[in-house]
Amino acid sequence: MPNTLRKSERLDRKKVIEKMFAGGSRSFSVFPLRVVYLPVEELEAPVSILVSVSKRRFKRAVKRNRVKRQIREAYRMNKHGLLAVLTEKKCRLAVAFIYLSDQLVDSSVIEDRMKTALARIAEKVAANAETEQTPQVS
């Protein structure tokens, strides 16, 4: 499978984004990233991502774009483990990566944190899918 980031893998549906941040989504932090994710059925791709860098933290668009590029690249190179779990569980996710730091960070640090974040998402999705599949005895 190629290391690409297609248009269908980018989160651009306003309703889904509003639903993610209105509540009901799950989130955790792996500094300098905050990850917000929500199981969604109406997406084409198994995972659609959104990358956000605050204008308050980086006034210059050049720096914001650099950080967004680093995050997208780290996701693109390490998404295969998460995709394997999602295709196995037949689940679709909307994921937002929000940059928290006000300092520029090296790409290797972001890639390391991205690996950790994707592994945690995969672990939580797998655990959640198992609890939904087990019949409850009353």
Side-chain angles (χ1 to χ4, degrees), residues 13-39:
R13 294 196 176 169
K14 209 169 194 174
K15 285 186 179 181
V16 176
I17 296 169
E18 287 172 359
K19 194 188 300 183
M20 277 181 80
F21 294 104
S25 61
R26 296 173 187 91
S27 67
F28 60 89
S29 291
V30 182
F31 194 80
L33 296 174
R34 177 160 187 74
V35 181
V36 180
Y37 66 98
L38 178 71

mmCIF file of all heavy atoms in Angstrom, residues 13-39:
data_model
loop_
_atom_site.group_PDB
_atom_site.id
_atom_site.type_symbol
_atom_site.label_atom_id
_atom_site.label_comp_id
_atom_site.label_asym_id
_atom_site.label_seq_id
_atom_site.Cartn_x
_atom_site.Cartn_y
_atom_site.Cartn_z
ATOM 1 N N ARG A 13 -15.730 17.710 5.913
ATOM 2 C CA ARG A 13 -17.173 17.825 6.106
ATOM 3 C C ARG A 13 -17.469 18.592 7.391
ATOM 4 O O ARG A 13 -17.108 18.165 8.477
ATOM 5 C CB ARG A 13 -17.817 16.448 6.152
ATOM 6 C CG ARG A 13 -17.691 15.745 4.830
ATOM 7 C CD ARG A 13 -18.612 14.598 4.750
ATOM 8 N NE ARG A 13 -18.520 14.014 3.422
ATOM 9 C CZ ARG A 13 -19.051 12.860 3.103
ATOM 10 N NH1 ARG A 13 -19.697 12.160 4.005
ATOM 11 N NH2 ARG A 13 -18.937 12.401 1.887
ATOM 12 N N LYS A 14 -18.160 19.709 7.219
ATOM 13 C CA LYS A 14 -18.417 20.603 8.335
ATOM 14 C C LYS A 14 -19.234 19.934 9.441
ATOM 15 O O LYS A 14 -18.967 20.128 10.628
ATOM 16 C CB LYS A 14 -19.147 21.848 7.814
ATOM 17 C CG LYS A 14 -18.889 23.078 8.602
ATOM 18 C CD LYS A 14 -19.414 24.280 7.872
ATOM 19 C CE LYS A 14 -18.847 25.519 8.522
ATOM 20 N NZ LYS A 14 -19.166 26.734 7.817
ATOM 21 N N LYS A 15 -20.221 19.139 9.058
ATOM 22 C CA LYS A 15 -21.074 18.475 10.058
ATOM 23 C C LYS A 15 -20.267 17.512 10.922
ATOM 24 O O LYS A 15 -20.472 17.428 12.131
ATOM 25 C CB LYS A 15 -22.218 17.724 9.381
ATOM 26 C CG LYS A 15 -23.298 18.623 8.866
ATOM 27 C CD LYS A 15 -24.458 17.814 8.332
ATOM 28 C CE LYS A 15 -25.543 18.748 7.842
ATOM 29 N NZ LYS A 15 -26.703 18.022 7.325
ATOM 30 N N VAL A 16 -19.358 16.775 10.312
ATOM 31 C CA VAL A 16 -18.534 15.818 11.053
ATOM 32 C C VAL A 16 -17.594 16.563 12.003
ATOM 33 O O VAL A 16 -17.427 16.177 13.168
ATOM 34 C CB VAL A 16 -17.737 14.905 10.092
ATOM 35 C CG1 VAL A 16 -16.809 13.985 10.860
ATOM 36 C CG2 VAL A 16 -18.679 14.094 9.222
ATOM 37 N N ILE A 17 -17.000 17.649 11.529
ATOM 38 C CA ILE A 17 -16.093 18.437 12.362
ATOM 39 C C ILE A 17 -16.849 19.027 13.548
ATOM 40 O O ILE A 17 -16.376 18.975 14.691
ATOM 41 C CB ILE A 17 -15.414 19.544 11.531
ATOM 42 C CG1 ILE A 17 -14.522 18.926 10.457
ATOM 43 C CG2 ILE A 17 -14.596 20.477 12.414
ATOM 44 C CD1 ILE A 17 -14.017 19.896 9.419
ATOM 45 N N GLU A 18 -18.043 19.566 13.303
ATOM 46 C CA GLU A 18 -18.845 20.124 14.392
ATOM 47 C C GLU A 18 -19.228 19.048 15.402
ATOM 48 O O GLU A 18 -19.207 19.280 16.607
ATOM 49 C CB GLU A 18 -20.098 20.801 13.832
ATOM 50 C CG GLU A 18 -19.796 22.106 13.132
ATOM 51 C CD GLU A 18 -21.005 22.692 12.417
ATOM 52 O OE1 GLU A 18 -22.098 22.069 12.440
ATOM 53 O OE2 GLU A 18 -20.855 23.758 11.819
ATOM 54 N N LYS A 19 -19.561 17.858 14.914
ATOM 55 C CA LYS A 19 -19.920 16.752 15.797
ATOM 56 C C LYS A 19 -18.726 16.330 16.656
ATOM 57 O O LYS A 19 -18.881 16.008 17.829
ATOM 58 C CB LYS A 19 -20.409 15.556 14.965
ATOM 59 C CG LYS A 19 -21.126 14.495 15.780
ATOM 60 C CD LYS A 19 -21.431 13.241 14.988
ATOM 61 C CE LYS A 19 -22.306 13.464 13.789
ATOM 62 N NZ LYS A 19 -22.627 12.190 13.101
ATOM 63 N N MET A 20 -17.523 16.367 16.070
ATOM 64 C CA MET A 20 -16.319 15.998 16.817
ATOM 65 C C MET A 20 -16.078 16.926 18.002
ATOM 66 O O MET A 20 -15.743 16.478 19.090
ATOM 67 C CB MET A 20 -15.078 16.065 15.911
ATOM 68 C CG MET A 20 -14.849 14.869 15.083
ATOM 69 S SD MET A 20 -13.372 15.072 14.099
ATOM 70 C CE MET A 20 -12.110 14.705 15.283
ATOM 71 N N PHE A 21 -16.239 18.216 17.784
ATOM 72 C CA PHE A 21 -15.902 19.182 18.820
ATOM 73 C C PHE A 21 -17.086 19.589 19.680
ATOM 74 O O PHE A 21 -16.913 20.282 20.683
ATOM 75 C CB PHE A 21 -15.215 20.397 18.198
ATOM 76 C CG PHE A 21 -13.873 20.049 17.619
ATOM 77 C CD1 PHE A 21 -13.695 19.929 16.241
ATOM 78 C CD2 PHE A 21 -12.797 19.799 18.446
ATOM 79 C CE1 PHE A 21 -12.465 19.590 15.714
ATOM 80 C CE2 PHE A 21 -11.557 19.454 17.928
ATOM 81 C CZ PHE A 21 -11.401 19.350 16.561
ATOM 82 N N ALA A 22 -18.295 19.151 19.329
ATOM 83 C CA ALA A 22 -19.474 19.451 20.150
ATOM 84 C C ALA A 22 -19.561 18.510 21.347
ATOM 85 O O ALA A 22 -20.173 18.818 22.349
ATOM 86 C CB ALA A 22 -20.736 19.349 19.301
ATOM 87 N N GLY A 23 -18.961 17.351 21.228
ATOM 88 C CA GLY A 23 -19.002 16.378 22.319
ATOM 89 C C GLY A 23 -19.212 14.987 21.763
ATOM 90 O O GLY A 23 -19.554 14.820 20.596
ATOM 91 N N GLY A 24 -19.007 13.997 22.599
ATOM 92 C CA GLY A 24 -19.179 12.621 22.155
ATOM 93 C C GLY A 24 -17.929 12.011 21.566
ATOM 94 O O GLY A 24 -17.867 10.811 21.321
ATOM 95 N N SER A 25 -16.924 12.832 21.324
ATOM 96 C CA SER A 25 -15.672 12.304 20.776
ATOM 97 C C SER A 25 -14.726 11.978 21.922
ATOM 98 O O SER A 25 -14.928 12.387 23.060
ATOM 99 C CB SER A 25 -15.036 13.314 19.829
ATOM 100 O OG SER A 25 -14.746 14.496 20.530
ATOM 101 N N ARG A 26 -13.689 11.237 21.614
ATOM 102 C CA ARG A 26 -12.685 10.871 22.611
ATOM 103 C C ARG A 26 -11.394 11.615 22.276
ATOM 104 O O ARG A 26 -11.116 11.863 21.102
ATOM 105 C CB ARG A 26 -12.453 9.366 22.577
ATOM 106 C CG ARG A 26 -13.695 8.593 22.966
ATOM 107 C CD ARG A 26 -13.499 7.105 22.749
ATOM 108 N NE ARG A 26 -14.735 6.385 22.977
ATOM 109 C CZ ARG A 26 -15.629 6.110 22.035
ATOM 110 N NH1 ARG A 26 -15.427 6.494 20.805
ATOM 111 N NH2 ARG A 26 -16.722 5.451 22.330
ATOM 112 N N SER A 27 -10.643 11.936 23.307
ATOM 113 C CA SER A 27 -9.394 12.660 23.048
ATOM 114 C C SER A 27 -8.351 12.311 24.093
ATOM 115 O O SER A 27 -8.661 11.845 25.178
ATOM 116 C CB SER A 27 -9.643 14.168 23.037
ATOM 117 O OG SER A 27 -9.998 14.614 24.312
ATOM 118 N N PHE A 28 -7.105 12.550 23.710
ATOM 119 C CA PHE A 28 -5.968 12.385 24.602
ATOM 120 C C PHE A 28 -4.828 13.231 24.063
ATOM 121 O O PHE A 28 -4.867 13.687 22.924
ATOM 122 C CB PHE A 28 -5.557 10.910 24.740
ATOM 123 C CG PHE A 28 -5.161 10.260 23.446
ATOM 124 C CD1 PHE A 28 -3.849 10.298 23.012
ATOM 125 C CD2 PHE A 28 -6.102 9.610 22.670
ATOM 126 C CE1 PHE A 28 -3.477 9.703 21.819
ATOM 127 C CE2 PHE A 28 -5.745 9.009 21.480
ATOM 128 C CZ PHE A 28 -4.427 9.046 21.056
ATOM 129 N N SER A 29 -3.836 13.447 24.903
ATOM 130 C CA SER A 29 -2.686 14.263 24.501
ATOM 131 C C SER A 29 -1.414 13.443 24.506
ATOM 132 O O SER A 29 -1.200 12.618 25.387
ATOM 133 C CB SER A 29 -2.501 15.449 25.446
ATOM 134 O OG SER A 29 -3.541 16.361 25.285
ATOM 135 N N VAL A 30 -0.612 13.655 23.482
ATOM 136 C CA VAL A 30 0.749 13.142 23.404
ATOM 137 C C VAL A 30 1.558 14.371 23.003
ATOM 138 O O VAL A 30 1.702 14.660 21.826
ATOM 139 C CB VAL A 30 0.873 12.022 22.336
ATOM 140 C CG1 VAL A 30 2.275 11.470 22.313
ATOM 141 C CG2 VAL A 30 -0.143 10.935 22.572
ATOM 142 N N PHE A 31 2.032 15.099 24.015
ATOM 143 C CA PHE A 31 2.615 16.407 23.753
ATOM 144 C C PHE A 31 3.690 16.343 22.680
ATOM 145 O O PHE A 31 4.520 15.442 22.724
ATOM 146 C CB PHE A 31 3.200 16.997 25.049
ATOM 147 C CG PHE A 31 3.503 18.454 24.942
ATOM 148 C CD1 PHE A 31 2.497 19.381 25.060
ATOM 149 C CD2 PHE A 31 4.786 18.883 24.683
ATOM 150 C CE1 PHE A 31 2.774 20.739 24.936
ATOM 151 C CE2 PHE A 31 5.069 20.230 24.558
ATOM 152 C CZ PHE A 31 4.057 21.149 24.691
ATOM 153 N N PRO A 32 3.661 17.178 21.689
ATOM 154 C CA PRO A 32 2.930 18.409 21.472
ATOM 155 C C PRO A 32 1.625 18.250 20.695
ATOM 156 O O PRO A 32 1.112 19.228 20.176
ATOM 157 C CB PRO A 32 3.922 19.243 20.671
ATOM 158 C CG PRO A 32 4.634 18.248 19.836
ATOM 159 C CD PRO A 32 4.729 17.015 20.696
ATOM 160 N N LEU A 33 1.076 17.058 20.620
ATOM 161 C CA LEU A 33 -0.164 16.844 19.869
ATOM 162 C C LEU A 33 -1.322 16.520 20.799
ATOM 163 O O LEU A 33 -1.152 15.808 21.782
ATOM 164 C CB LEU A 33 -0.005 15.682 18.882
ATOM 165 C CG LEU A 33 1.009 15.842 17.766
ATOM 166 C CD1 LEU A 33 1.128 14.542 16.991
ATOM 167 C CD2 LEU A 33 0.616 16.970 16.846
ATOM 168 N N ARG A 34 -2.489 17.030 20.473
ATOM 169 C CA ARG A 34 -3.731 16.603 21.097
ATOM 170 C C ARG A 34 -4.507 15.889 20.000
ATOM 171 O O ARG A 34 -4.644 16.393 18.892
ATOM 172 C CB ARG A 34 -4.526 17.787 21.616
ATOM 173 C CG ARG A 34 -5.856 17.379 22.211
ATOM 174 C CD ARG A 34 -6.381 18.461 23.131
ATOM 175 N NE ARG A 34 -7.556 18.038 23.828
ATOM 176 C CZ ARG A 34 -7.584 17.183 24.837
ATOM 177 N NH1 ARG A 34 -6.461 16.640 25.246
ATOM 178 N NH2 ARG A 34 -8.692 16.853 25.426
ATOM 179 N N VAL A 35 -4.996 14.690 20.312
ATOM 180 C CA VAL A 35 -5.689 13.871 19.330
ATOM 181 C C VAL A 35 -7.151 13.757 19.735
ATOM 182 O O VAL A 35 -7.456 13.366 20.859
ATOM 183 C CB VAL A 35 -5.053 12.464 19.245
ATOM 184 C CG1 VAL A 35 -5.751 11.623 18.208
ATOM 185 C CG2 VAL A 35 -3.574 12.573 18.945
ATOM 186 N N VAL A 36 -8.041 14.120 18.822
ATOM 187 C CA VAL A 36 -9.482 13.990 19.033
ATOM 188 C C VAL A 36 -9.989 13.064 17.944
ATOM 189 O O VAL A 36 -9.715 13.288 16.764
ATOM 190 C CB VAL A 36 -10.200 15.362 18.933
ATOM 191 C CG1 VAL A 36 -11.683 15.214 19.161
ATOM 192 C CG2 VAL A 36 -9.602 16.358 19.906
ATOM 193 N N TYR A 37 -10.712 12.004 18.335
ATOM 194 C CA TYR A 37 -11.213 11.087 17.321
ATOM 195 C C TYR A 37 -12.649 10.681 17.609
ATOM 196 O O TYR A 37 -13.102 10.702 18.748
ATOM 197 C CB TYR A 37 -10.310 9.853 17.197
ATOM 198 C CG TYR A 37 -10.271 8.959 18.403
ATOM 199 C CD1 TYR A 37 -11.054 7.811 18.463
ATOM 200 C CD2 TYR A 37 -9.458 9.252 19.486
ATOM 201 C CE1 TYR A 37 -11.017 6.986 19.578
ATOM 202 C CE2 TYR A 37 -9.406 8.440 20.585
ATOM 203 C CZ TYR A 37 -10.198 7.302 20.629
ATOM 204 O OH TYR A 37 -10.163 6.503 21.732
ATOM 205 N N LEU A 38 -13.361 10.355 16.537
ATOM 206 C CA LEU A 38 -14.774 10.030 16.628
ATOM 207 C C LEU A 38 -15.100 8.956 15.598
ATOM 208 O O LEU A 38 -14.779 9.135 14.416
ATOM 209 C CB LEU A 38 -15.610 11.291 16.353
ATOM 210 C CG LEU A 38 -17.118 11.158 16.347
ATOM 211 C CD1 LEU A 38 -17.625 10.919 17.767
ATOM 212 C CD2 LEU A 38 -17.737 12.425 15.790
ATOM 213 N N PRO A 39 -15.711 7.846 16.001
ATOM 214 C CA PRO A 39 -16.175 6.860 15.013
ATOM 215 C C PRO A 39 -17.314 7.465 14.199
ATOM 216 O O PRO A 39 -18.275 7.981 14.757
ATOM 217 C CB PRO A 39 -16.672 5.693 15.869
ATOM 218 C CG PRO A 39 -16.100 5.918 17.224
ATOM 219 C CD PRO A 39 -15.900 7.389 17.366
#
